[in-house]
Amino acid sequence: MATAASASLLSTAARRVSRSASSIVTREVTGQHTLTIAGFAPSRKFKPDWSASSQAFDAAGHGWRITYQPNGKTWSEHVSLYLEPVNNGDGRRKVAPTDPVEFAFSLLDTAGNPVPQYTRSSQGVSYFNKESMCKGFQKFIHWTELEKSGCLKDDTFTVRCDITVIKNWTENGGAGAAARVRVPPSDLHEHLGKMLWNKQCADVALEVGGETFVAHECVLAVRSPVLAAELHAATKEKLPGVRRCMEIQDMEPKVFEAMLRFIYTDALPGKMGEEGEDAVAMARGLLAAAHRYKLDRLKLMCEKTLCERIDVDTVAGTLAAAEEHGCRALKEECVEFIARPGNLKAVMETEGYEKMKASCQSIVMELFMKELVAKMN
């Protein structure tokens, strides 16, 4: 009986199904690198096949460099650009020969945006191996096209390389964890924003146009060197919880509030995304504030916003603001708009023309001369 029972148990155990699980996880890893090429005209005098390479950079988890040829491999009068994987010993690894790679080179306009007409993408995926270590475009752009594109300024142009490496993570282990673990985006800005609006541990009072804002001295000081210096010299107060009190002059309260929000959250106010005069006025006000307090990223964000909102009614005031605060790209965008046929006359009838004429006399004179020459021809 015991023997029969044991045999039955063994038979049941033998029939048990052994279960296991695994997964194949394929993921795209992306990165980009911007390369500025100065001295375009002199570089064209080199013989064919002359090239210059960028420093090694990291993108999509691997090391790369970009090679520039002003004459291609023959006297083709084309700029050539190539991408090459590198391993320079500082932690950057060459892309594996089995990893598919997609890449694209884009010519950037003066505002730093890719020009679709001058973007060249790899056709499908590419593989970098011993037989093909360098890939790219022998005829990226013709010399004449580059000169007419408006992207060549002071004999300098900029290109961006976007790289995507497709990885099979089962080869490197941890695929199951990678598939199951989801890391949420950073919410630090939300916590700092709540700290500002809830006035938690606020120790600075700021008077702006009759309104009072409270903030945190350490946050303001670390974000703006100008605010750090002004706070250091501000009046010490004996009010409970307040260490310093400072008056901000020549700024609207709504603009200061928007700047304060950016300091804590790195975000623009909602009105900046709207259309109309309010959005333009807020962008100009924040541009002036960013220039005043050396908030470089905010200044560029405002400059980009104003570039996207140039029209007959706004261009005069925006050009004056660009001239006052040293915004080269915005200034060039405004001048280009006014120089279009018929626009100068229309701009002269707007409210902002007098301010533009007062602050940009040389530019206005140059525009008048260009229009006069155009009429004579």
Side-chain angles (χ1 to χ4, degrees), residues 9-61:
L9 286 172
L10 286 171
S11 177
T12 302
R15 290 197 300 271
R16 287 176 182 166
V17 178
S18 176
R19 292 182 174 86
S20 63
S22 63
S23 60
I24 296 175
V25 180
T26 303
R27 197 172 78 182
E28 292 184 345
V29 185
T30 62
Q32 60 182 217
H33 181 75
T34 300
L35 176 66
T36 298
I37 299 166
F40 171 61
S43 72
R44 294 189 300 184
K45 299 176 182 178
F46 285 105
K47 63 181 182 179
D49 243 0
W50 177 88
S51 64
S53 296
S54 71
Q55 293 183 343
F57 61 89
D58 187 50

Side-chain angles (χ1 to χ4, degrees), residues 22-27 62 93-100 127 165-176 178:
S22 63
S23 60
I24 296 175
V25 180
T26 303
R27 197 172 78 182
H62 299 281
R93 297 175 294 110
K94 275 190 178 180
V95 64
T98 56
D99 289 339
Y127 293 90
V165 179
I166 304 168
K167 291 291 297 180
N168 179 359
W169 291 96
T170 56
E171 297 176 354
N172 300 325

Side-chain angles (χ1 to χ4, degrees), residues 16-260:
R16 287 176 182 166
V17 178
S18 176
R19 292 182 174 86
S20 63
S22 63
S23 60
I24 296 175
V25 180
T26 303
R27 197 172 78 182
E28 292 184 345
V29 185
T30 62
Q32 60 182 217
H33 181 75
T34 300
L35 176 66
T36 298
I37 299 166
F40 171 61
S43 72
R44 294 189 300 184
K45 299 176 182 178
F46 285 105
K47 63 181 182 179
D49 243 0
W50 177 88
S51 64
S53 296
S54 71
Q55 293 183 343
F57 61 89
D58 187 50
H62 299 281
W64 310 87
R65 67 182 171 205
I66 297 171
T67 298
Y68 160 67
Q69 286 185 321
N71 293 301
K73 294 185 177 180
T74 60
W75 290 110
S76 63
E77 297 189 351
H78 278 82
V79 170
S80 301
L81 292 173
Y82 299 95
L83 179 67
E84 179 184 358
V86 296
N87 186 352
N88 60 3
D90 65 352
R92 301 186 181 101
R93 297 175 294 110
K94 275 190 178 180
V95 64
T98 56
D99 289 339
V101 179
E102 296 175 334
F103 65 94
F105 285 104
S106 302
L107 182 66
L108 303 186
D109 61 22
T110 54
N113 301 312
V115 180
Q117 183 181 354
Y118 303 116
T119 296
R120 306 285 183 265
S121 302
S122 59
Q123 300 298 316
V125 297
S126 300
Y127 293 90
F128 291 85
N129 48 47
K130 292 181 179 180
E131 291 74 30
S132 183
M133 288 301 297
C134 194
K135 294 181 179 291
F137 307 96
Q138 184 176 352
K139 295 185 177 182
F140 173 70
I141 188 170
H142 195 278
W143 293 353
T144 305
E145 288 183 275
L146 178 58
E147 290 168 345
K148 293 181 178 179
S149 68
C151 302
L152 184 66
K153 295 293 182 182
D154 300 325
D155 207 31
T156 299
F157 67 97
T158 303
V159 295
R160 192 181 80 190
C161 183
D162 292 271
I163 304 169
T164 299
V165 179
I166 304 168
K167 291 291 297 180
N168 179 359
W169 291 96
T170 56
E171 297 176 354
N172 300 325
R180 288 191 292 268
V181 177
R182 293 289 183 265
V183 179
S186 172
D187 58 356
L188 175 62
H189 62 287
E190 295 180 4
H191 291 285
L192 289 175
K194 289 178 181 177
M195 186 173 73
L196 173 64
W197 308 134
N198 295 338
K199 305 177 182 179
Q200 296 172 336
C201 305
D203 56 2
V204 176
L206 304 120
E207 300 287 339
V208 187
E211 296 187 26
T212 301
F213 299 88
V214 293
H216 306 80
E217 182 177 355
C218 60
V219 177
L220 300 182
V222 78
R223 291 284 274 165
S224 166
V226 178
L227 278 173
E230 292 183 358
L231 283 167
H232 182 72
T235 306
K236 291 186 177 181
E237 294 292 318
K238 295 182 179 180
L239 298 174
V242 177
R243 293 174 54 194
R244 300 186 186 277
C245 184
M246 187 170 73
E247 183 180 3
I248 305 291
Q249 298 180 344
D250 302 322
M251 188 179 299
E252 295 182 32
K254 63 180 181 181
V255 172
F256 181 81
E257 184 178 7
M259 184 185 76
L260 200 58

